[in-house]
mmCIF file of all heavy atoms in Angstrom:
data_model
loop_
_atom_site.group_PDB
_atom_site.id
_atom_site.type_symbol
_atom_site.label_atom_id
_atom_site.label_comp_id
_atom_site.label_asym_id
_atom_site.label_seq_id
_atom_site.Cartn_x
_atom_site.Cartn_y
_atom_site.Cartn_z
ATOM 1 N N VAL A 203 -10.655 -14.708 139.920
ATOM 2 C CA VAL A 203 -11.734 -15.698 140.053
ATOM 3 C C VAL A 203 -12.550 -15.437 141.318
ATOM 4 O O VAL A 203 -13.787 -15.439 141.291
ATOM 5 C CB VAL A 203 -11.161 -17.125 140.049
ATOM 6 C CG1 VAL A 203 -12.278 -18.150 140.237
ATOM 7 C CG2 VAL A 203 -10.398 -17.401 138.753
ATOM 8 N N ASP A 204 -11.854 -15.192 142.427
ATOM 9 C CA ASP A 204 -12.572 -14.964 143.687
ATOM 10 C C ASP A 204 -13.408 -13.688 143.612
ATOM 11 O O ASP A 204 -14.548 -13.641 144.108
ATOM 12 C CB ASP A 204 -11.580 -14.875 144.845
ATOM 13 C CG ASP A 204 -10.826 -16.176 145.071
ATOM 14 O OD1 ASP A 204 -11.166 -17.183 144.412
ATOM 15 O OD2 ASP A 204 -9.884 -16.179 145.895
ATOM 16 N N GLY A 205 -12.864 -12.658 142.972
ATOM 17 C CA GLY A 205 -13.618 -11.424 142.810
ATOM 18 C C GLY A 205 -14.838 -11.621 141.937
ATOM 19 O O GLY A 205 -15.913 -11.048 142.198
ATOM 20 N N PHE A 206 -14.694 -12.447 140.904
ATOM 21 C CA PHE A 206 -15.831 -12.758 140.042
ATOM 22 C C PHE A 206 -16.905 -13.506 140.829
ATOM 23 O O PHE A 206 -18.108 -13.223 140.681
ATOM 24 C CB PHE A 206 -15.368 -13.593 138.847
ATOM 25 C CG PHE A 206 -16.465 -13.969 137.894
ATOM 26 C CD1 PHE A 206 -16.847 -13.104 136.880
ATOM 27 C CD2 PHE A 206 -17.129 -15.182 138.008
ATOM 28 C CE1 PHE A 206 -17.874 -13.442 136.003
ATOM 29 C CE2 PHE A 206 -18.152 -15.530 137.142
ATOM 30 C CZ PHE A 206 -18.518 -14.650 136.137
ATOM 31 N N MET A 207 -16.499 -14.453 141.661
ATOM 32 C CA MET A 207 -17.471 -15.192 142.463
ATOM 33 C C MET A 207 -18.239 -14.260 143.396
ATOM 34 O O MET A 207 -19.462 -14.368 143.534
ATOM 35 C CB MET A 207 -16.768 -16.292 143.260
ATOM 36 C CG MET A 207 -16.206 -17.423 142.404
ATOM 37 S SD MET A 207 -15.254 -18.651 143.357
ATOM 38 C CE MET A 207 -16.534 -19.328 144.430
ATOM 39 N N ARG A 208 -17.546 -13.330 144.015
ATOM 40 C CA ARG A 208 -18.226 -12.388 144.904
ATOM 41 C C ARG A 208 -19.151 -11.459 144.113
ATOM 42 O O ARG A 208 -20.244 -11.110 144.571
ATOM 43 C CB ARG A 208 -17.200 -11.585 145.704
ATOM 44 C CG ARG A 208 -16.420 -12.446 146.694
ATOM 45 C CD ARG A 208 -15.643 -11.635 147.699
ATOM 46 N NE ARG A 208 -14.863 -12.487 148.578
ATOM 47 C CZ ARG A 208 -15.351 -13.153 149.637
ATOM 48 N NH1 ARG A 208 -16.639 -13.048 149.936
ATOM 49 N NH2 ARG A 208 -14.558 -13.911 150.383
ATOM 50 N N ALA A 209 -18.718 -11.085 142.912
ATOM 51 C CA ALA A 209 -19.571 -10.251 142.066
ATOM 52 C C ALA A 209 -20.821 -11.015 141.650
ATOM 53 O O ALA A 209 -21.914 -10.429 141.542
ATOM 54 C CB ALA A 209 -18.798 -9.787 140.838
ATOM 55 N N ALA A 210 -20.700 -12.325 141.395
ATOM 56 C CA ALA A 210 -21.861 -13.143 141.044
ATOM 57 C C ALA A 210 -22.845 -13.202 142.206
ATOM 58 O O ALA A 210 -24.068 -13.129 142.005
ATOM 59 C CB ALA A 210 -21.414 -14.544 140.655
ATOM 60 N N ALA A 211 -22.325 -13.320 143.427
ATOM 61 C CA ALA A 211 -23.206 -13.314 144.599
ATOM 62 C C ALA A 211 -23.911 -11.963 144.722
ATOM 63 O O ALA A 211 -25.115 -11.895 144.995
ATOM 64 C CB ALA A 211 -22.404 -13.621 145.854
ATOM 65 N N ALA A 212 -23.174 -10.885 144.500
ATOM 66 C CA ALA A 212 -23.769 -9.554 144.583
ATOM 67 C C ALA A 212 -24.814 -9.332 143.498
ATOM 68 O O ALA A 212 -25.745 -8.533 143.671
ATOM 69 C CB ALA A 212 -22.674 -8.497 144.479
ATOM 70 N N ALA A 213 -24.690 -10.080 142.382
ATOM 71 C CA ALA A 213 -25.654 -9.969 141.282
ATOM 72 C C ALA A 213 -26.912 -10.792 141.530
ATOM 73 O O ALA A 213 -27.794 -10.836 140.666
ATOM 74 C CB ALA A 213 -24.999 -10.394 139.977
ATOM 75 N N GLY A 214 -26.975 -11.464 142.685
ATOM 76 C CA GLY A 214 -28.197 -12.158 143.057
ATOM 77 C C GLY A 214 -28.111 -13.665 143.149
ATOM 78 O O GLY A 214 -29.103 -14.321 143.479
ATOM 79 N N SER A 215 -26.947 -14.249 142.877
ATOM 80 C CA SER A 215 -26.841 -15.711 142.938
ATOM 81 C C SER A 215 -26.843 -16.191 144.386
ATOM 82 O O SER A 215 -26.086 -15.678 145.219
ATOM 83 C CB SER A 215 -25.561 -16.181 142.243
ATOM 84 O OG SER A 215 -25.389 -17.580 142.417
ATOM 85 N N TYR A 216 -27.669 -17.187 144.657
ATOM 86 C CA TYR A 216 -27.721 -17.751 145.996
ATOM 87 C C TYR A 216 -26.717 -18.892 146.168
ATOM 88 O O TYR A 216 -26.508 -19.377 147.284
ATOM 89 C CB TYR A 216 -29.131 -18.274 146.297
ATOM 90 C CG TYR A 216 -29.416 -19.676 145.778
ATOM 91 C CD1 TYR A 216 -29.508 -20.771 146.642
ATOM 92 C CD2 TYR A 216 -29.574 -19.915 144.407
ATOM 93 C CE1 TYR A 216 -29.768 -22.050 146.169
ATOM 94 C CE2 TYR A 216 -29.838 -21.180 143.938
ATOM 95 C CZ TYR A 216 -29.931 -22.247 144.810
ATOM 96 O OH TYR A 216 -30.179 -23.514 144.329
ATOM 97 N N ASN A 217 -26.072 -19.306 145.060
ATOM 98 C CA ASN A 217 -25.291 -20.542 145.069
ATOM 99 C C ASN A 217 -24.127 -20.377 144.093
ATOM 100 O O ASN A 217 -24.273 -20.616 142.894
ATOM 101 C CB ASN A 217 -26.208 -21.686 144.650
ATOM 102 C CG ASN A 217 -25.638 -23.066 144.915
ATOM 103 O OD1 ASN A 217 -25.737 -23.939 144.078
ATOM 104 N ND2 ASN A 217 -25.065 -23.281 146.077
ATOM 105 N N VAL A 218 -22.968 -19.958 144.587
ATOM 106 C CA VAL A 218 -21.804 -19.681 143.751
ATOM 107 C C VAL A 218 -20.712 -20.681 144.098
ATOM 108 O O VAL A 218 -20.225 -20.715 145.227
ATOM 109 C CB VAL A 218 -21.287 -18.242 143.960
ATOM 110 C CG1 VAL A 218 -20.127 -17.958 143.001
ATOM 111 C CG2 VAL A 218 -22.406 -17.225 143.760
ATOM 112 N N GLY A 219 -20.338 -21.504 143.115
ATOM 113 C CA GLY A 219 -19.310 -22.510 143.342
ATOM 114 C C GLY A 219 -18.080 -22.223 142.517
ATOM 115 O O GLY A 219 -18.170 -21.715 141.396
ATOM 116 N N GLY A 220 -16.913 -22.569 143.056
ATOM 117 C CA GLY A 220 -15.679 -22.341 142.332
ATOM 118 C C GLY A 220 -14.524 -23.120 142.927
ATOM 119 O O GLY A 220 -14.719 -24.004 143.774
#
Side-chain angles (χ1 to χ4, degrees):
V203 178
D204 296 353
F206 180 85
M207 292 175 64
R208 293 193 183 280
S215 174
Y216 84 107
N217 193 223
V218 184

